[in-house]
Amino acid sequence: MRIFWKECKKILDVRILLILTVFTFFYYQTFMQITSYPCGGQCTDSQYDIPFCGELVKEWGPALAVSDLSKIDRKQKELEEEYTKIIADNKILTKAGIRDYAAFKQKDEEFFDKDELTEEEKKIRKEITRLVFDDKAGTKLCMEIQVLNQIKDNKGMTYGVSEKDVQNYESEDMTEIVKKARSNIITRDYVSLLPQGMFFILQRDMTAMAMLLLICFAVLLIPYQVRERLRFVQPLYVSTAVGRKIFSKQFWSAVGSCVLVGMVQFGVYLFIFVEKGLAVFWKCPCWDSVVNLLWCDGISFGTYMFLYMVLVFIFTLAAVAIFYLAARVATNYISGIAIATPLCGGSCVLSYLLFHGLFLIRNTDRMPFKEIPWIGGWLIIAGVILWWRFWRDRRRDI
């Protein structure tokens, strides 16, 4: 155990940790959706929809029974009355006879269907567009009303694979899971208040998190092993049977160090997630009105998020064996970088292919639940590499 902690101290070098801290900061600012929330690509690119859904969850709970949908009507009436006040203060709209939200919406739809407008109509349409997209108060109310309409559209939604989807699948090699999904029709008596943007944020961030962890693990392990070689520690270990046993302890020290760094990274992400106020959605039923996740109907979004993180963590930890092997054969820092770059790049590409959407089985180009066999195969490859490395360490001499 003393050797384990000693090797962990070598791996978790203060200089390396400082570099990773700075790199992580800029990585979050550049690639993580959570840092740009509440605006920055969450499906609608709006700063109002997800926060408004959070207010609804606090007020009504994680889901709304179909029998309680009158709450939505009352809330929508309140918002429309607030919008009417904004319209009443607008001289251009009131002069055109638009004095309430109903008339405002009707006129907007009328302009949308017309190909040619008079100069007066163009002036009115420009003012309507300004209120919808450029006026802070007007844009916020428009987005909130749109969210309420979407929730009402999900009322009693049936869930499964439609006849149109079945026709699209006819030429595909359907698996038993997708065939079963064809008849898996569910009519819900509740409406989840979980916005679709939450899936967008989580899926993008977990893909980026997998890449971040892979880069961090490579930076931790390769310089560590290169330093051991340059200080002639590796030849010393190889020269004796007792010394060769230390290699396995070095590997488990590498795993322990990577686990610690990975837990810190996930802890930072969860802290930002909670700080942004998104923890309010953890108890919401985990289904999405656009891309239904057949397997996860009935579980909470928090459970889905936890499962996502666990699978990402398992995948990245399996890469430690591969990075460890690369680090052992690196003779200097330049060769270490040359070896680590393609390995890390390939692992990042594989992580993107696996984790850009967890268990989405509605897409015809994806095998249902393909993440499980791929992660299993990844673990087997890592295990075989590790077994070969330890077997060679036991048998070879200087």
Side-chain angles (χ1 to χ4, degrees):
M1 201 64 181
R2 181 173 56 85
I3 296 176
F4 175 84
W5 292 116
K6 182 180 178 181
E7 297 300 321
C8 284
K9 289 179 180 179
K10 290 182 183 178
I11 297 171
L12 299 174
D13 185 270
V14 175
R15 294 166 295 180
I16 298 295
L17 293 179
L18 288 175
I19 292 173
L20 290 181
T21 300
V22 174
F23 172 76
T24 299
F25 174 79
F26 287 107
Y27 189 93
Y28 266 77
Q29 298 298 322
T30 306
F31 299 108
M32 290 293 201
Q33 292 293 321
I34 194 69
T35 54
S36 58
Y37 173 83
C39 188
Q42 291 86 40
C43 295
T44 59
D45 200 22
S46 169
Q47 58 181 315
Y48 303 116
D49 54 346
I50 297 180
F52 180 64
C53 288
E55 294 175 8
L56 296 181
V57 171
K58 291 177 182 178
E59 183 177 352
W60 297 338
L64 190 64
V66 173
S67 58
D68 292 334
L69 288 181
S70 58
K71 293 180 179 179
I72 297 179
D73 295 328
R74 290 195 295 269
K75 188 72 173 179
Q76 186 167 349
K77 186 177 179 180
E78 294 175 6
L79 297 179
E80 291 178 0
E81 289 175 354
E82 291 182 31
Y83 212 103
T84 298
K85 294 178 182 178
I86 296 176
I87 296 172
D89 294 334
N90 191 294
K91 295 180 180 180
I92 296 177
L93 296 181
T94 53
K95 184 179 179 180
I98 303 173
R99 293 183 172 85
D100 57 24
Y101 178 77
F104 178 87
K105 183 180 179 182
Q106 181 180 357
K107 184 62 70 172
D108 186 29
E109 293 174 352
E110 179 184 325
F111 287 157
F112 182 79
D113 295 331
K114 291 184 68 173
D115 295 328
E116 295 183 3
L117 301 176
T118 65
E119 290 300 321
E120 185 63 25
E121 287 176 334
K122 288 180 180 178
K123 186 178 180 181
I124 297 171
R125 185 177 67 172
K126 183 178 180 181
E127 193 62 22
I128 290 175
T129 302
R130 186 188 68 81
L131 279 181
V132 173
F133 296 105
D134 298 328
D135 183 80
K136 184 176 181 180
T139 303
K140 181 176 183 295
L141 288 172
C142 273
M143 183 55 64
E144 292 175 350
I145 292 172
Q146 181 179 325
V147 168
L148 293 177
N149 286 329
Q150 183 177 2
I151 294 174
K152 287 195 293 185
D153 290 341
N154 294 340
K155 169 186 172 183
M157 175 176 286
T158 57
Y159 164 60
V161 180
S162 67
E163 289 300 321
K164 184 178 180 181
D165 292 329
V166 172
Q167 294 174 5
N168 293 335
Y169 281 135
E170 287 301 328
S171 61
E172 300 293 332
D173 182 18
M174 300 292 290
T175 64
E176 291 300 320
I177 295 176
V178 177
K179 288 179 181 178
K180 184 179 179 181
R182 288 180 173 181
S183 59
N184 186 21
I185 306 299
I186 302 171
T187 301
R188 298 185 178 88
D189 58 355
Y190 66 90
V191 178
S192 175
L193 298 181
L194 179 67
Q196 182 189 352
M198 291 303 299
F199 285 94
F200 180 93
I201 294 172
L202 183 63
Q203 290 166 1
R204 289 291 185 90
D205 282 355
M206 287 301 101
T207 302
M209 179 63 76
M211 296 181 183
L212 174 62
L213 291 179
L214 289 170
I215 294 171
C216 288
F217 294 168
V219 171
L220 283 174
L221 298 184
I222 292 178
Y224 157 67
Q225 284 294 336
V226 170
R227 288 198 306 270
E228 294 288 279
R229 179 180 290 274
L230 293 179
R231 293 169 181 173
F232 300 102
V233 176
Q234 284 188 358
L236 182 62
Y237 289 162
V238 172
S239 62
T240 64
V242 175
R244 290 193 291 272
K245 292 180 180 179
I246 296 178
F247 284 128
S248 62
K249 295 179 181 179
Q250 281 188 333
F251 170 76
W252 292 115
S253 299
V255 172
S257 300
C258 291
V259 167
L260 178 61
V261 171
M263 291 177 65
V264 171
Q265 292 285 14
F266 278 117
V268 169
Y269 183 80
L270 287 174
F271 174 79
I272 298 174
F273 197 89
V274 173
E275 189 68 19
K276 295 278 187 174
L278 298 178
V280 70
F281 297 112
W282 279 345
K283 293 184 179 180
C284 290
C286 187
W287 64 273
D288 175 54
S289 62
V290 178
V291 187
N292 283 297
L293 308 174
L294 297 176
W295 67 275
C296 69
D297 186 76
I299 70 171
S300 67
F301 180 73
T303 304
Y304 176 75
M305 183 176 176
F306 174 76
L307 180 61
Y308 219 140
M309 289 184 168
V310 168
L311 291 179
V312 168
F313 206 11
I314 291 173
F315 175 86
T316 53
L317 284 179
V320 172
I322 298 174
F323 293 153
Y324 175 78
L325 175 65
R328 286 285 301 275
V329 300
T331 56
N332 52 52
Y333 290 106
I334 295 177
S335 63
I337 294 173
I339 293 171
T341 300
L343 283 178
C344 195
S347 301
C348 288
V349 170
L350 181 58
S351 69
Y352 175 80
L353 295 176
L354 283 179
F355 295 117
H356 73 277
L358 186 65
F359 297 155
L360 295 179
I361 68 174
R362 291 288 298 276
N363 299 332
T364 57
D365 61 335
R366 285 172 58 86
M367 181 181 73
F369 298 95
K370 76 170 187 177
E371 292 85 353
I372 297 299
W374 273 97
I375 292 176
W378 184 247
L379 289 171
I380 291 172
I381 292 173
V384 169
I385 290 174
L386 187 61
W387 173 84
W388 172 81
R389 183 74 257 182
F390 287 166
W391 174 82
R392 191 165 183 268
D393 285 339
R394 287 194 301 269
R395 295 185 62 87
R396 72 173 182 162
D397 204 335
I398 195 169

